[in-house]
Amino acid sequence: MSKIYVFGIGGTGARVIKSLTLLLASGVEINSDVVVPILIDPDKANGDLTRTIELLKNYQQIRTRVNFSSQSNKGFFRTKIEDVCSNFRLDLKDIENDKFRDYIDYGGLNENNKALISLLFSEDNLNSNMEVGFKGNPNIGSVVLNQFRYSSDFKDFASSFVQGDRIFIVSSIFGGTGAAGFPLLLKNIRNADQSLATCALLKDAPVGAITVLPYFGVTPDPESKIDKSTFISKTKAALSYYEENISGNNSLNALYYLGDNITKDYENHEGSIDQQNEAHFIELASALSIIDFMNIQDVDLEVVNGCAQNPIYKEFGIKNDTQSINFLDLGHLSQQYLGKYLSQYFLFTLYLKNNLRDSLHLPWATGSVKIDTQFLNQPFYASYLRNFNERFVEWLEEMSRNVRGFAPFNLNVGSSNLFEFVVGIPPKTSFLEKGSNYTRVNHILAKVEPRVGNPNVEQKFMSLFYLATEELVKEKFNF
Amino acid sequence: MNDLFAPFYEGWGLFYLDQFSSDMYNNLLYVPIGLTLVLSTALMLIVYYYAIDHPKFAKWYHWLIWVLLICGINFIVAYYVSYNELDLIYAQKQQTLPYSTEFFSFSMFNAFWTLMFGLIVSALIKWKSVNCKRTPF
């Protein structure tokens, strides 16, 4: 059973993993049996980190009740998400309530070392409280995050890694945690401790990464250490480092770049619970890079003695340069991929919210495995699935509001124009088709129900809606 | 075929209406009425389960309304055929038609058997329907 370990470093890493989780829920196929997210962020209370962890747990709660008996079975929540670290988070020690000077035991250094440190770090850096992260200072991050190699969570990851598994690293290049953490993590993978049983496997493991260039700004705030005017200079500095130490030494099999020149300024929060940025299309596109990486054949990801034999470099583009993207503005492959799965899942959320309770008398709900009010009151539906769907819609809403926006759906369709939910693509209709709007959905649900069989009720529910929405989005939009 | 339908219309004696039933039997009037019952019920239920077959008409009372409609049609057919044929027969004999409430009673029996036959046909044919396979049960 092959796995992909996805390291998400910093806030961007967390938001990309959130996008990936929502894509996996919609049934996107990732060419791997299991995804193992590992979040790296010193800021434990970070709003984005917390949201991602909650979503991952929610996904697992749903996935444990849905069984896929064969490799070829498609469906919502098809891919397993497993955790190798507690709460999906690689624990970083000695950061809470510590200033950087205490972390490096500045007071215990001799004068020569102090002088050297003073060349590399400003007084502000030394007095920096790391509880909310590195506040856009990768020079601090590069010291603190080097503790990876000694952490028990990293050792747990290493010992669970087997032949056939892959690794992917997600980070931004213009912050503090991601820019520092990415090259460090890669170095610690390619040069894993010899005492680890899997050090040889890790050295030659297929590793991909995406480094996200600036795609948002922050409002000016004299109280904050984070300043958007430094994003580009930090990006340039990091890129020149990567040129030597990442692409320059072929340590990566595949490196993806992504960024945007249309940006919105978020509120300037250094970290903690207030750092909760709205979802952005760049994060969704970044998640697609993970799927793309998993589709690369093994033969093209050969690594010998820690060096990738055929390193691949990719960027992502859209067809039309607009302020607000919909499916028609994407390239053909992205359009087909995102269009099918996101449309299916959005239709699913609409039906559950607006029509499910009125349809429980219909034949698809009244077979030998009943979908009834008792099922709707169980935690699977009432808590886990409903909560997850609310997060899904919230994610779509946030992306639609952002700049550059991603607004492929009309989020406010009603019962009389249900299939007008895909922006820019009018639904196909036929004179002979039975029913319209939710009635049409009911007809298709009844039509596909014999194909579902008699599994447990949760499995039946999810399979039924996957098959029905798949048929409907094909019929209406040809996705 | 008259002998096939007669027990049903006479209820094995329970619905026997003396001379009226004899006249109906002797003039082979059970046949067209019985055949109409069988064919109309089967055809209209096929329409319900396979032509209409709509999620909006999948509740038990939609089925009931449809079957009551079929019952109504067969009530009218039974009344019309029995009245007109027997009226013609007695007119040819230059006698007054001696029946009044019997036509209504006979038509009600026909409607009753329509309902019963409708239940049997529904149970037999509904399984391949997409939206109504579990209507009314």
Side-chain angles (χ1 to χ4, degrees):
Chain A
M1 192 167 67
S2 70
K3 299 190 291 294
I4 169 77
Y5 292 85
V6 182
F7 287 88
I9 310 178
T12 298
R15 290 189 297 275
V16 170
I17 286 181
K18 183 174 125 187
S19 290
L20 178 67
T21 306
L22 290 160
L23 285 179
L24 293 177
S26 71
V28 161
E29 293 162 71
I30 195 171
N31 201 23
S32 174
D33 300 309
V34 181
V35 171
V36 185
I38 302 173
L39 295 158
I40 301 175
D41 197 324
D43 184 3
K44 271 188 191 171
N46 183 284
D48 287 318
L49 181 71
T50 308
R51 285 209 293 181
T52 298
I53 291 172
E54 282 170 5
L55 192 75
L56 286 166
K57 287 181 180 174
N58 200 176
Y59 184 107
Q60 285 186 315
Q61 284 164 336
I62 295 167
R63 181 60 175 81
T64 51
R65 288 157 179 81
V66 177
N67 296 313
F68 293 89
S69 55
S70 79
Q71 284 291 101
S72 62
N73 273 1
K74 297 182 188 183
F76 297 140
F77 299 86
R78 169 71 178 87
T79 307
K80 265 193 196 172
I81 289 182
E82 288 181 358
D83 49 299
V84 72
C85 311
S86 169
N87 283 334
F88 299 96
R89 201 180 146 265
L90 193 144
D91 194 29
L92 296 170
K93 305 239 180 287
D94 303 325
I95 287 177
E96 283 181 49
N97 304 317
D98 253 7
K99 294 189 178 166
F100 182 59
R101 64 168 59 241
D102 299 321
Y103 183 84
I104 60 171
D105 191 22
Y106 181 82
L109 298 172
N110 62 31
E111 290 306 314
N112 288 340
N113 284 330
K114 278 184 182 175
L116 177 63
I117 293 295
S118 299
L119 283 175
L120 299 171
F121 302 100
S122 65
E123 270 305 302
D124 260 352
N125 287 162
L126 289 170
N127 291 326
S128 189
N129 186 327
M130 298 182 294
E131 197 173 36
V132 295
F134 310 124
K135 301 177 194 174
N137 293 307
N139 52 341
I140 300 177
S142 63
V143 172
V144 176
L145 293 175
N146 208 31
Q147 62 172 273
F148 284 155
R149 60 189 297 124
Y150 308 113
S151 82
S152 58
D153 287 334
F154 187 82
K155 288 176 185 170
D156 289 341
F157 144 71
S159 50
S160 69
F161 191 89
V162 300
Q163 186 74 37
D165 292 345
R166 297 186 185 184
I167 298 167
F168 199 90
I169 304 171
V170 182
S171 60
S172 74
I173 202 171
F174 59 102
T177 313
F182 164 39
L184 270 176
L185 179 61
L186 181 60
K187 187 191 84 172
N188 285 318
I189 289 169
R190 290 293 186 220
N191 299 286
D193 200 287
Q194 298 286 323
S195 64
L196 292 170
T198 54
C199 71
L201 270 180
L202 287 172
K203 188 170 189 174
D204 291 342
V207 182
I210 183 161
T211 187
V212 185
L213 282 67
Y215 66 98
F216 65 84
V218 291
T219 53
D221 183 347
E223 302 290 316
S224 170
K225 298 278 185 287
I226 299 174
D227 179 0
K228 78 168 184 179
S229 64
T230 63
F231 285 179
I232 298 296
S233 55
K234 283 178 183 170
T235 300
K236 286 181 178 176
L239 283 171
S240 64
Y241 178 81
Y242 293 176
E243 190 183 10
E244 289 289 322
N245 299 286
I246 293 177
S247 39
N249 61 7
N250 286 1
S251 49
L252 268 182
N253 293 92
L255 181 57
Y256 297 79
Y257 293 97
L258 193 50
D260 200 353
N261 56 5
I262 294 179
T263 62
K264 175 180 172 181
D265 285 355
Y266 295 150
E267 278 187 41
N268 195 328
H269 297 293
E270 291 183 340
S272 192
I273 195 170
D274 293 323
Q275 188 187 349
Q276 190 172 293
N277 299 345
E278 292 208 315
H280 195 288
F281 175 69
I282 288 284
E283 292 144 14
L284 170 56
S286 300
L288 289 179
S289 70
I290 304 170
I291 293 162
D292 184 87
F293 176 68
M294 290 308 293
N295 285 332
I296 300 174
Q297 301 288 319
D298 285 337
V299 68
D300 295 323
L301 297 177
E302 198 186 344
V303 180
V304 175
N305 203 24
C307 283
Q309 299 303 291
N310 300 300
I312 300 165
Y313 302 95
K314 290 195 179 186
E315 289 180 295
F316 182 88
I318 55 176
K319 201 164 71 177
N320 302 321
D321 186 5
T322 63
Q323 283 268 359
S324 181
I325 307 165
N326 61 46
F327 290 131
L328 297 177
D329 298 315
L330 302 176
H332 178 71
L333 275 179
S334 302
Q335 203 182 107
Q336 287 297 309
Y337 212 64
L338 288 179
K340 170 179 153 54
Y341 294 108
L342 291 183
S343 298
Q344 274 190 248
Y345 204 85
F346 184 58
L347 181 57
F348 175 52
T349 64
L350 285 174
Y351 187 94
L352 262 56
K353 187 178 167 193
N354 300 318
N355 203 250
L356 179 61
R357 284 196 184 265
D358 295 334
S359 304
L360 298 178
H361 63 282
L362 291 172
W364 58 262
T366 54
S368 55
V369 178
K370 291 191 187 338
I371 296 166
D372 51 15
T373 48
Q374 188 182 6
F375 167 72
L376 298 191
N377 293 333
Q378 301 275 347
F380 175 84
Y381 178 83
S383 302
Y384 310 148
L385 188 60
R386 199 150 80 174
N387 189 56
F388 194 93
N389 289 353
E390 283 172 7
R391 297 291 76 73
F392 180 83
V393 174
E394 180 186 68
W395 175 68
L396 292 174
E397 286 170 347
E398 289 180 7
M399 283 197 291
S400 71
R401 285 196 296 263
N402 218 324
V403 179
R404 172 189 320 253
F406 179 58
F409 299 130
N410 174 0
L411 298 174
N412 298 312
V413 284
S415 303
S416 58
N417 64 338
L418 173 68
F419 292 113
E420 291 174 15
F421 71 86
V422 179
V423 171
I425 305 179
K428 294 193 180 103
T429 53
S430 162
F431 178 71
L432 294 171
E433 73 181 29
K434 280 212 173 86
S436 59
N437 301 307
Y438 286 114
T439 310
R440 183 70 186 150
V441 182
N442 284 333
H443 175 73
I444 299 295
L445 281 164
K447 186 177 158 196
V448 303
E449 192 247 350
R451 286 157 53 186
V452 171
N454 290 317
N456 61 46
V457 62
E458 293 91 353
Q459 175 67 53
K460 175 181 175 175
F461 185 78
M462 300 304 285
S463 296
L464 195 55
F465 277 93
Y466 181 84
L467 291 173
T469 54
E470 184 177 45
E471 188 158 327
L472 282 162
V473 300
K474 174 93 183 136
E475 170 189 296
K476 294 293 177 188
F477 311 111
N478 203 27
F479 279 144
Chain B
M1 214 177 274
N2 204 40
D3 291 320
L4 175 66
F5 291 121
F8 290 96
Y9 286 126
E10 292 164 11
W12 291 272
L14 201 62
F15 304 152
Y16 192 77
L17 297 170
D18 297 325
Q19 192 57 37
F20 176 86
S21 295
S22 292
D23 280 341
M24 291 291 291
Y25 179 82
N26 294 332
N27 290 289
L28 304 177
L29 293 178
Y30 289 146
V31 176
I33 296 168
L35 279 177
T36 303
L37 183 157
V38 169
L39 292 174
S40 67
T41 305
L43 194 66
M44 287 193 64
L45 283 171
I46 288 171
V47 166
Y48 174 77
Y49 282 111
Y50 293 100
I52 298 173
D53 190 16
H54 201 285
K56 276 195 168 161
F57 302 122
K59 291 196 174 173
W60 64 268
Y61 53 81
H62 296 124
W63 174 90
L64 184 63
I65 290 167
W66 189 254
V67 168
L68 289 176
L69 176 67
I70 305 171
C71 291
I73 292 168
N74 280 281
F75 177 94
I76 292 167
V77 165
Y79 197 101
Y80 180 86
V81 171
S82 60
Y83 183 90
N84 283 319
E85 291 300 313
L86 288 178
D87 189 42
L88 186 63
I89 289 164
Y90 275 87
Q92 284 170 348
K93 290 194 245 177
Q94 291 175 343
Q95 290 174 2
T96 314
L97 189 62
Y99 311 120
S100 57
T101 61
E102 288 85 348
F103 297 112
F104 181 85
S105 302
F106 171 71
S107 301
M108 285 302 290
F109 299 151
N110 199 46
F112 170 77
W113 287 119
T114 303
L115 180 64
M116 293 299 111
F117 189 62
L119 277 167
I120 294 167
V121 170
S122 296
L124 289 173
I125 70 169
K126 69 187 178 106
W127 301 107
K128 290 290 185 189
S129 171
V130 173
N131 293 291
C132 302
K133 64 165 78 75
R134 297 194 178 100
T135 307
F137 43 78

